Each structure stands twice: as C-alpha cells, then as structure tokens.
C-alpha cells in the first residue's frame, strides 16, 4: 500500500456501510476483501472499500458470494473491464428474469388470497343473514 493512499479502519467502513465489523471480517474470510495488517489492526484500502460496496450491492440484488467472488476474479485477471462487464450483464439478466418470475408468482398468490378473502366474507354475510335476529 502506498504511504499517501487513503486507508480506512474496519470501524469506519462498518459505519459508512451500516454493517457490523463481523460482517466485514466474514467477507474478508470469504476472500472478498484483502486488507493489509499493521500488527493486529486491519488497514483497508480504497480497493477494499469499493469491493465492500460492490459486495453489498451484489447481495442486495441477490448475487451469491460465489458469484461476487467470480466477478472479482474476472476483474483481477482481465487487462480491461469488458470480460467482467459481460459476465456482470449475464448475471444481472439472469437475476432480472428470476425476479420477474417471482413477481408474477406473487401476483398469482395475491389474486388467490383476494379470492379466498372474498369467499370468506361472502360466507360470513350469508351466515349472518341466516341467523335469527
């Protein structure tokens, strides 16, 4: 790490991204972050900060840690960003299709719930109408 390069502590990153330090250490254990060490202290670079941000975004859109790790590996191995971007587009397309299907499934379930609720309400109305007053 260059001496003039901006660095971050685990606490700073945890606070910035609203995650626990344990989460950051977990991502480190998974090989997604590679901080330098100063004795017992972890020192995170801008690269680590960007990787943490990308990891959290990837998780938010439903990528597995393995998929995120593969994207990082592609990026690290490539001389340009094109292979990583093409793979990322492929993963995003798959995730988009999956979410679209889930949205359709949810719509079907919501319609079924609405129909069942209506049937129950009608049953209660009929029952109330037949009870002596």
């Amino acid at each position: 790490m260059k001496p003039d390069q901006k660095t971050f502590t685990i606490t700073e990153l945890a606070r910035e991204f609203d995650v626990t330090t344990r989460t950051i250490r977990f991502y480190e254990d998974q090989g997604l972050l590679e901080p330098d060490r100063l004795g017992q202290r972890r020192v995170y670079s801008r690269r680590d900060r960007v990787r943490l941000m990308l990891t959290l975004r990837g998780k938010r859109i439903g990528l597995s840690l393995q998929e995120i790790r593969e994207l990082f590996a592609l990026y690290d191995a490539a001389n340009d960003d094109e292979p990583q971007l093409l793979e990322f587009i492929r993963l995003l397309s798959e995730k988009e299709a999956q979410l679209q299907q889930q949205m359709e499934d949810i719509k079907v379930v919501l319609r079924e719930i609405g129909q069942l609720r209506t049937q129950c309400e009608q049953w209660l109305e009929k029952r109330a109408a037949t009870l002596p007053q």
Side-chain angles (χ1 to χ4, degrees):
M1 191 175 302
K2 298 175 186 170
D4 60 342
Q5 186 178 10
K6 171 79 172 139
T7 60
F8 307 89
T9 67
I10 194 169
T11 304
E12 289 170 331
L13 291 178
R15 195 173 300 128
E16 178 180 354
F17 292 105
D18 195 27
V19 296
T20 64
T21 57
R22 182 176 178 168
T23 297
I24 294 173
R25 286 190 298 272
F26 174 75
Y27 291 148
E28 182 183 340
D29 290 342
Q30 296 298 308
L32 298 169
L33 306 174
E34 299 169 349
D36 286 335
R37 300 278 184 158
L38 287 177
Q40 293 291 322
R41 239 179 82 222
R42 291 170 170 85
V43 179
Y44 295 87
S45 65
R46 287 178 188 249
R47 177 179 182 260
D48 291 313
R49 183 185 168 279
V50 169
R51 281 179 170 235
L52 176 59
M53 179 182 64
L54 292 174
T55 298
L56 295 171
R57 284 184 184 170
K59 291 298 294 171
R60 193 167 44 247
I61 65 167
L63 296 179
S64 69
L65 292 181
Q66 181 60 35
E67 290 168 324
I68 295 167
R69 192 178 303 106
E70 288 170 7
L71 286 173
F72 289 165
L74 277 172
Y75 183 76
D76 291 344
N79 290 331
D80 62 43
D81 293 339
E82 187 175 343
Q84 181 190 26
L85 292 174
L86 290 171
E87 179 64 10
F88 192 52
I89 289 168
R90 185 190 69 74
L91 287 172
L92 289 174
S93 296
E94 284 179 11
K95 186 52 66 178
E96 181 180 29
Q98 180 185 22
L99 290 172
Q100 290 289 347
Q101 182 59 54
Q102 287 176 343
M103 199 161 49
E104 288 304 313
D105 294 344
I106 289 170
K107 287 177 184 178
V108 168
V109 170
L110 286 173
R111 277 194 301 273
E112 291 173 358
I113 287 172
Q115 290 170 350
L116 286 170
R117 185 185 63 239
T118 300
Q119 288 174 350
C120 290
E121 289 168 347
Q122 290 171 350
W123 181 78
L124 285 173
E125 287 173 11
K126 287 180 186 176
R127 185 168 183 240
T130 61
L131 292 175
Q133 298 187 11

